[in-house]
Amino acid sequence: MEHVPPPAEELALLDRELAELDARRAQLLTRRSWLLAALRPPAPTAAPGWNPSGWGAPPGASAQPWGYVPKQPSAPRGAQNVLLTLGGLLLTVAAVAFTLVSWGSMGIGGRSAVLAAVTLGALIAPAVLLRRGLAATAEALAALALALTLLDVYAVHAVAAPDADGLGFTAVASAVLAALWTAYGLALGTLRLPLPAAVVLAQWPLLFWAWAAGAPALVVGWALLATAVLDGAIARRGKGAGVRVTACVGGSAMGFSALMVGLALSTTASGPFGAVAPGALLLAAAAAALTGAWRAPKGFARTGGVVAGLAAVAAVGGVPAAELPGGWRVLAYLLCGLALTGVVRAGVPRDAARGVLAASGVVVAGALVWALRPLAVVLLGPGTLLSDVWAGPPEGFRAALGTTLPWSELAAAPVVLALVAGLLGAAHRWWPSVVRISAPLAAPRTADTGTPGAGAPGAVGAAAPWPGWSGWTTWSGAGAGVGRRPSAATLRGVVGAGAVALGWGAFLLAGALLDVPYALAVAGETALVGGLLALAVRGTGRGRGETAMPVTALVAAVAGAVSVGVLSLASEGASYAVFGALAALFAGAAVRAAGSELPRAVFAVAAVVWGTVLTGLAGRSLGLAPQETAPLVLVVPALTVLLGARLRRNPVALPVELTGALGALVAVGLAASEAPFLALVLALCGVLAAGAAVRPERRPVAGYLAAALFVLATWVRLAASEVSFPEAYTLPVTVPALVVGVLRRRRDPEASSWAAYGPGLAATLLPSMAVALTDTDWLRPLLLGTAALVITLLGARYRLQALLLLGGAVLALDGLHELTPYVVQVAGALPRWLPPALAGLLLLVVGATYEQRLRDARRLRDALGRMR
């Protein structure tokens, strides 16, 4: 059996996967032990003979189930915390009011003494309270002390240094307060507020210093980056979760701000030399992010890798981009983004390297999104030609698009698409080498987690279900269960599909940017559709994991065929050439395709559509009106009926015939404006349906459809001839049809009444009903109602469903038509509130007896179902 990937490579993948499963199992067992210990209540002072497990319990006592945790009485901490919070808030408000309002009524000595004494007391009190076990009160006073130190700083600036620069003083004060609160928090390690508050204060010294010094934006960026680095160090070695979380949030905000400053300076630089300094800032940020991601947990490591990769691309790509024209800057960043893939061989830890690769993917995706706009214009722009078909070929490709774009600024778009398509194509071609190079990142290493590898006790593994198995299972997340990664063949197919799609887009964009002649553009796009069809046909017989490329080629071929078909409508000769070639190409693809029936059906359906368009073009060339073109359009549906008879039970036959039926519906729409042509088209469609009904597998649907079309054609013809007595034409048809139905029922008592009597009755009842609705005389409604009543009674007597339903429906409509004037007259005489009231009462009655009404409806349905 052929192995994909090779056996040695697959064995290495399985070994790595088993090692990951062992490591994950060890982690989960450790976590389970910890959770059990946390859930198990402390052993109480037990009375003699008491057993916490429930074994040997006294009579009447029930043993506790496994994992049951007795509910412990909890102290009313909620009310206490609310009271302490409100008390601290009131004290803070009082201190602020004292500082801002009553400060001026005291001398300098009194001011200093009061504020210093209050602050010193607020700082000392938490230490005393902690020794007495009052932690919540200590936290509240520590918060008050923090607010008082901020007021002290304000007081010092207002009294001792009123002329000092506010920004510079704030920078120094925040640094001093951060140091003091750090020392205070370390001295009183039990308090949770001082150290996070010190981290918050540490965010501002460098930023306010640069702001106060009037430093340029680049210096501000460096200050922000230095603060972010400091936050990273605190987040890594800080004491307590609150400190680390606060440092992470602050570092993220400061680092993001530094990156934005560097990016703004880099993109607006006047030249390459002007982009060097911002690039250095961005590179320093990338190095800091990668250093932080080096030994960080999985999520942080990947995030750091993404940030490092994007910053490096902005730094390096910004230097040449500052010299290039606007449209080519994207290419500079794209090349730098592609260069990030070298991290695979750089020895970077696995999770950080994955983040860098994700950054490379983001850059590539951004460049492709930028190129999508002109590609969409190339594909959809020819739609403007639909308003003036065959107006004459334009001078160039761009003139046929009907939109104006700054094509000079989009010159790099096809290069971007072609470059990425080439790289994906190369990866698809040398896929085993790509798998071998990226193997260290494809599966986790046990060294990264520090857990035992393969062979550890309790290892979990699964044998391959068959030789050459190329799929493998992996943990999709912590405790999330086991998921399946896509196989190597599937990934390779996706890469190849991307190469096909981007290469197709690059070809189309190149023609628009070069503004090739109209004829060359039409011929080139048609040839490209042929190439895509060849690729789709070639891949239809491959395995399940390799279907991405042929499916992508098929979708691109259909989209390209629609685009070039609309583009060809500018010229009569081009229209015939393109749609003829498309019909031939798709028909040939349907014949040559192997394997799955879905691609073959798509090819065949598309060929039928293009053939239908050709018949419509022929009618326009002959100078026919739309209604005169309708019979010509029916040529393709007739061919599909013949082709369906040839294919018979082939799965492709049904889609082809349904597409032909849609073509017939188009013909009906074209002839709708002229009743005589509409009657002719309906009759021809009935002939086609009757031809399809010859086949047993189509008879149940096509037979009824043919009868309905013939009857409808008759009605339309009678209406077009302004016949006021249709019964003179319909009764000669109804009588022999009913005789034939009676003979058939005698020969086959199990035959349906719809097949035996339905067409004959409908041929007269329905046209007569249509005329009766507009007839002001009383004779026709009376005769029609009498005939419908007789037919309904016969249907009920002989249990014939067609007679009962057709006669009952016509009788009800006829009676409603006759009663309508009187109902309107009565309704006008009633109060306006009465109809809604009656409707509401009816709904209440129906709702109250809903079950009974439902049973009645079911009995009626069953009774009708038992009729023939």
Side-chain angles (χ1 to χ4, degrees), residues 147-210:
L148 290 175
T149 55
L150 295 176
L151 294 175
D152 287 336
V153 171
Y154 168 77
V156 169
H157 180 265
V159 175
D163 298 330
D165 179 57
L167 293 175
F169 184 85
T170 303
V172 175
S174 58
V176 172
L177 287 179
L180 291 177
W181 275 94
T182 301
Y184 186 76
L186 292 176
L188 301 178
T190 308
L191 295 179
R192 293 175 292 180
L193 181 61
L195 289 179
V199 174
V200 174
L201 290 172
Q203 308 301 311
W204 311 114
L206 291 178
L207 178 60
F208 279 110
W209 167 80

Side-chain angles (χ1 to χ4, degrees), residues 465-466 469-476 481-487:
W466 61 80
W469 178 60
S470 60
W472 61 89
T473 57
T474 182
W475 291 92
S476 59
V482 178
R484 182 173 297 276
R485 290 180 179 174
S487 65

Side-chain angles (χ1 to χ4, degrees), residues 396-494:
F397 191 11
R398 294 183 193 174
L401 300 180
T403 57
T404 58
L405 286 178
W407 294 104
S408 59
E409 298 181 7
L410 300 173
V415 179
V416 168
L417 296 178
L419 177 61
V420 180
L423 292 176
L424 292 178
H428 179 268
R429 173 64 179 82
W430 290 286
W431 184 252
S433 300
V434 174
V435 173
R436 184 174 61 255
I437 293 173
S438 60
L441 301 182
R445 297 191 297 265
T446 55
D448 291 338
T449 59
T451 54
V460 178
W466 61 80
W469 178 60
S470 60
W472 61 89
T473 57
T474 182
W475 291 92
S476 59
V482 178
R484 182 173 297 276
R485 290 180 179 174
S487 65
T490 301
L491 292 176
R492 183 180 185 183
V494 171

Side-chain angles (χ1 to χ4, degrees), residues 266 312-340 363-364 367 370 412 415-416 419:
S266 177
V313 169
V316 179
V319 176
E323 184 67 21
L324 294 173
W328 292 95
R329 294 183 178 182
V330 177
L331 186 60
Y333 290 112
L334 175 62
L335 293 174
C336 294
L338 293 174
L340 290 179
V363 174
V364 174
W370 171 79
V415 179
V416 168
L419 177 61

Side-chain angles (χ1 to χ4, degrees), residues 202-517:
Q203 308 301 311
W204 311 114
L206 291 178
L207 178 60
F208 279 110
W209 167 80
W211 195 358
L218 184 62
V219 177
V220 174
W222 281 106
L224 292 170
L225 180 60
T227 305
V229 172
L230 176 63
D231 288 330
I234 296 174
R236 185 164 185 80
R237 301 184 179 275
K239 180 182 179 182
V243 174
R244 292 194 293 271
V245 171
T246 305
C248 285
V249 173
S252 300
M254 293 297 175
F256 179 78
S257 301
L259 288 173
M260 291 299 101
V261 170
L263 183 62
L265 294 175
S266 177
T267 54
T268 57
S270 57
F273 293 103
V276 171
L281 173 62
L282 292 171
L283 279 179
L290 190 60
T291 302
W294 200 270
R295 294 185 181 277
K298 180 178 180 180
F300 291 99
R302 293 187 178 181
T303 303
V306 172
V307 173
L310 294 177
V313 169
V316 179
V319 176
E323 184 67 21
L324 294 173
W328 292 95
R329 294 183 178 182
V330 177
L331 186 60
Y333 290 112
L334 175 62
L335 293 174
C336 294
L338 293 174
L340 290 179
T341 55
V343 73
V344 176
R345 291 294 189 179
V348 179
R350 176 177 52 84
D351 290 323
R354 285 182 174 181
V356 175
L357 289 179
S360 175
V362 169
V363 174
V364 174
L368 295 179
V369 169
W370 171 79
L372 284 181
R373 181 194 173 196
L375 180 58
V377 170
V378 172
L379 286 175
L380 303 177
T384 57
L385 299 174
L386 293 174
S387 59
D388 194 7
V389 178
W390 294 353
E395 297 180 358
F397 191 11
R398 294 183 193 174
L401 300 180
T403 57
T404 58
L405 286 178
W407 294 104
S408 59
E409 298 181 7
L410 300 173
V415 179
V416 168
L417 296 178
L419 177 61
V420 180
L423 292 176
L424 292 178
H428 179 268
R429 173 64 179 82
W430 290 286
W431 184 252
S433 300
V434 174
V435 173
R436 184 174 61 255
I437 293 173
S438 60
L441 301 182
R445 297 191 297 265
T446 55
D448 291 338
T449 59
T451 54
V460 178
W466 61 80
W469 178 60
S470 60
W472 61 89
T473 57
T474 182
W475 291 92
S476 59
V482 178
R484 182 173 297 276
R485 290 180 179 174
S487 65
T490 301
L491 292 176
R492 183 180 185 183
V494 171
V495 170
V500 170
L502 295 178
W504 170 61
F507 184 91
L508 295 178
L509 270 180
L513 286 166
L514 295 176
D515 197 17
V516 298

Side-chain angles (χ1 to χ4, degrees), residues 84-145:
L84 292 174
T85 303
L86 290 177
L89 181 61
L90 291 175
L91 287 175
T92 304
V93 171
V96 172
F98 167 76
T99 304
L100 297 178
V101 178
S102 302
W103 187 261
S105 63
M106 300 179 63
I108 185 63
R111 301 172 188 176
S112 303
V114 171
L115 193 56
V118 173
T119 304
L120 184 61
L123 290 172
I124 294 175
V128 179
L129 293 172
L130 287 175
R131 282 197 296 270
R132 297 191 176 185
L134 301 175
T137 309
E139 289 285 356
L141 288 179
L144 174 62

Side-chain angles (χ1 to χ4, degrees), residues 16-30 444-447 449-454 456-460 475:
R16 283 194 291 270
E17 196 64 29
L18 290 173
E20 181 192 9
L21 292 175
D22 295 338
R24 187 59 187 161
R25 177 178 172 81
Q27 288 179 347
L28 293 178
L29 289 175
T30 304
R445 297 191 297 265
T446 55
T449 59
T451 54
V460 178
W475 291 92

